[in-house]
Amino acid sequence: MLDLLQDQKAIESAVNSAVQAQGVLDMHTHLYPPSFGTPVPNRSGKTDNTGMALWGIDELLTYHYLIAEVFRVVPATQLPYEHFWKMSKIEQADHIFKHLFVERAPISEACRGVLTAIGKLGLDPNDRKLDGWRKWFKEQDPSQYVDKVMEVANVKLITMTNPVFDDNERNRWLDNPKVASDPRFRAVLRIDPVLQNWPMAARAIGQWGYDAGDGKTLSAKNIEEGRRFLREWVEKQQAVYMALSLGPEFRYPAESGLPTDAIGQTALEKIILPVCAEKGLAFAMMIGSIRGVNPALRDAGDMSGKSDVQAVVRLCAAFPNNRFFVTMLARENQHEMCVAARKFGNLMLFGCWWFLNNPSLIEEIERMRMELLGTSFIPQHSDARVLDHLVYKWDHSRKVIAKVMTDKFTDLLATGRAPSAAEIKQTAELFLAGNYRAFAGSL
């Protein structure tokens, strides 16, 4: 007999238990295993100044969300950008901690996230000095610390982002083919220039031994060589999908004068999507970031813009044998994206990306998605760039997802159809793991 839940309190308890217990397959992060090098001093004494595996309090405090925030409190007229960038990592962290955590209430989501992570890791978030936190992080073994963070966050798998056109990234794969053999992490082949700047991509892969041509045209041979390049890197990385980020100006079909021009469209149609279909890989598009509106802020200087949902609709219609993971950065795009996903089974919406990763917006978006799509979407990904982000992003997101699930299952009860504990558990599994696993098809 089904374990039917007959009141809102029972539903809330079952939802909270199911959401907290369900391990996450985090489908999009910028995290790396310790084998990619860590710039954080630790008890082993090993450091790598170009290391990509970021963790610890100084990385948390100097994340670009907080850099942008501190320049609102101490503007560049008081501390010029170039002076800030000349500071050491520790000096930057001290500056941010002083002005955002000590001299003001740390109520922004980015500040709260640091304190959530600190508290969940067993440290005292009431500390007004960084010495104790720094000492604790320095004592951690990097690999064991990955296990600890994943346990605290209840994350079972971390999906990386691996940009093959980044020299630091690519050279690590070439120097050590087993660099990503850590089973806790899976790779994603990130290929932005292939679509956004084919001339640049063609020059680069030409230097790496592929006959991509001059980048101005794409012959049949150039197309096949571009495919060979992607195939070989999919195999090298054992990638679970391909991905790129696009600005809000992205259009399909391409429009003259825009960055994704006719040659980029040809690369998309003739190189990227055929290899994805051949390899059975989904293609992820993160759309809506405007890069460098304030270049002096470096990584903190980007913002969002409204994108063209119809470009995604046309791609899904034109390539029914391809699967598309899509997330958009602007709040204004979310309703239209939900409606689009109702029309195409090869479109999977995922996450509340970047500037949408705030509880009020997550709640609004997940409520809309549940009402329009039922259980057939991926509510969240962490987008973590610092390992410790997993702790706070999943803690905060789980609470919002559970709140909306409770409301929706209570609405179901109001129809006279009582939900079961098994249905709630199934829904939590779909949202936090199952939908990603099934749509990716490569986990």
Side-chain angles (χ1 to χ4, degrees):
M1 179 178 292
L2 290 175
D3 180 17
L4 298 181
L5 306 174
Q6 302 289 353
D7 59 69
Q8 191 272 340
K9 186 174 181 180
I11 290 171
E12 182 177 15
S13 176
V15 168
N16 286 333
S17 295
V19 171
Q20 292 299 323
Q22 177 59 51
V24 169
L25 305 184
D26 196 336
M27 72 158 291
H28 172 59
T29 80
H30 297 269
L31 302 177
Y32 294 88
S35 54
F36 278 77
T38 173
V40 178
N42 58 76
R43 69 186 186 193
S44 69
K46 296 179 180 178
T47 61
D48 178 351
N49 291 331
T50 64
M52 305 173 76
L54 306 181
W55 57 281
I57 186 58
D58 292 314
E59 297 294 348
L60 280 171
L61 289 171
T62 56
Y63 184 51
H64 64 77
Y65 283 17
L66 291 171
I67 290 174
E69 192 173 329
V70 80
F71 271 104
R72 294 193 53 76
V73 175
V74 185
T77 52
Q78 297 179 33
L79 176 67
Y81 295 119
E82 60 269 23
H83 291 181
F84 177 83
W85 295 118
K86 288 178 181 177
M87 291 178 176
S88 68
K89 179 83 68 174
I90 289 175
E91 290 170 335
Q92 291 174 354
D94 287 341
H95 173 75
I96 290 169
F97 188 70
K98 172 186 175 183
H99 290 286
L100 297 185
F101 291 80
V102 177
E103 295 186 351
R104 294 185 179 225
I107 61 173
S108 74
E109 180 66 5
C111 286
R112 185 171 78 103
V114 173
L115 297 176
T116 294
I118 288 296
K120 291 283 184 180
L121 290 167
L123 302 173
D124 184 359
N126 291 296
D127 281 354
R128 296 300 198 271
K129 293 184 178 180
L130 294 173
D131 296 349
W133 296 352
R134 282 185 174 133
K135 180 177 182 294
W136 185 86
F137 280 105
K138 191 174 182 178
E139 292 170 350
Q140 305 307 306
D141 172 80
S143 185
Q144 292 175 11
Y145 186 63
V146 172
D147 285 336
K148 180 179 182 66
V149 168
M150 293 179 71
E151 179 181 1
V152 172
N154 196 10
V155 170
K156 303 304 182 185
L157 182 72
I158 297 169
T159 311
M160 301 181 282
T161 296
N162 305 96
V164 68
F165 289 91
D166 176 79
D167 290 341
N168 188 18
E169 166 93 27
R170 186 182 64 262
N171 289 335
R172 290 176 187 272
W173 290 92
L174 295 174
D175 292 343
N176 177 12
K178 296 183 178 180
V179 69
S181 59
D182 191 323
R184 299 170 294 187
F185 295 79
R186 295 297 300 273
V188 165
L189 181 58
R190 181 75 176 254
I191 54 169
D192 296 44
V194 176
L195 173 56
Q196 293 191 20
N197 190 347
W198 175 253
M200 174 271 192
R203 287 193 300 271
I205 68 176
Q207 294 172 359
W208 304 333
Y210 303 86
D211 185 359
D214 60 8
K216 297 177 182 179
T217 60
L218 268 168
S219 68
K221 182 175 179 59
N222 300 153
I223 289 169
E224 181 51 39
E225 284 290 276
R227 292 179 182 179
R228 182 168 72 91
F229 165 71
L230 293 185
R231 289 187 195 109
E232 291 182 2
W233 274 93
V234 165
E235 291 300 319
K236 189 183 298 291
Q237 293 182 348
Q238 290 296 291
V240 294
Y241 62 86
M242 288 193 215
L244 49 72
S245 177
L246 295 160
E249 72 282 353
F250 172 68
R251 298 292 184 271
Y252 182 84
E255 296 179 5
S256 178
L258 292 178
T260 307
D261 55 13
I263 193 76
Q265 178 175 313
T266 301
L268 174 63
E269 294 175 332
K270 302 295 185 181
I271 299 176
I272 297 171
L273 294 180
V275 173
C276 283
E278 172 191 323
K279 293 291 187 180
L281 299 181
F283 180 53
M285 297 186 294
M286 294 160 281
I287 310 174
S289 56
I290 304 176
R291 301 295 186 182
V293 296
N294 183 353
L297 278 173
R298 300 188 184 179
D299 287 347
D302 303 339
M303 69 170 293
S304 64
K306 186 177 179 182
S307 301
D308 180 26
V309 174
Q310 290 305 307
V312 174
V313 167
R314 295 183 190 109
L315 271 173
C316 289
F319 294 90
N321 295 324
N322 282 93
R323 302 189 306 281
F324 298 89
F325 283 123
V326 178
T327 193
M328 284 191 173
L329 192 50
R331 178 190 187 190
E332 293 81 0
N333 285 128
Q334 302 308 313
H335 177 253
E336 190 178 357
M337 281 299 301
C338 282
V339 176
R342 288 172 60 89
K343 311 306 171 186
F344 295 97
N346 61 338
L347 171 59
M348 177 63 74
L349 304 190
F350 74 95
C352 297
W353 179 35
W354 204 335
F355 302 115
L356 294 177
N357 191 46
N358 292 291
S360 60
L361 295 174
I362 296 170
E363 180 175 347
E364 172 187 308
I365 293 166
E366 307 306 9
R367 195 174 299 277
M368 182 193 312
R369 288 171 173 171
M370 288 188 204
E371 290 169 355
L372 280 165
L373 301 173
T375 64
S376 62
F377 65 95
I378 299 168
Q380 191 57 300
H381 63 276
S382 73
D383 200 25
R385 289 181 181 269
V386 181
L387 178 67
D388 323 72
H389 282 164
L390 293 177
V391 175
Y392 98 76
K393 290 197 175 186
W394 283 112
D395 178 78
H396 294 186
S397 289
R398 282 181 200 268
K399 290 173 181 174
V400 179
I401 292 167
K403 178 181 179 181
V404 180
M405 280 179 60
T406 296
D407 288 349
K408 293 298 103 185
F409 277 104
T410 301
D411 289 345
L412 179 60
L413 177 64
T415 71
R417 203 291 206 170
S420 70
E423 286 177 317
I424 288 173
K425 183 177 180 181
Q426 177 197 48
T427 302
E429 195 279 334
L430 288 171
F431 281 160
L432 299 179
N435 286 337
Y436 170 40
R437 183 191 298 109
F439 199 82
S442 52
L443 293 173

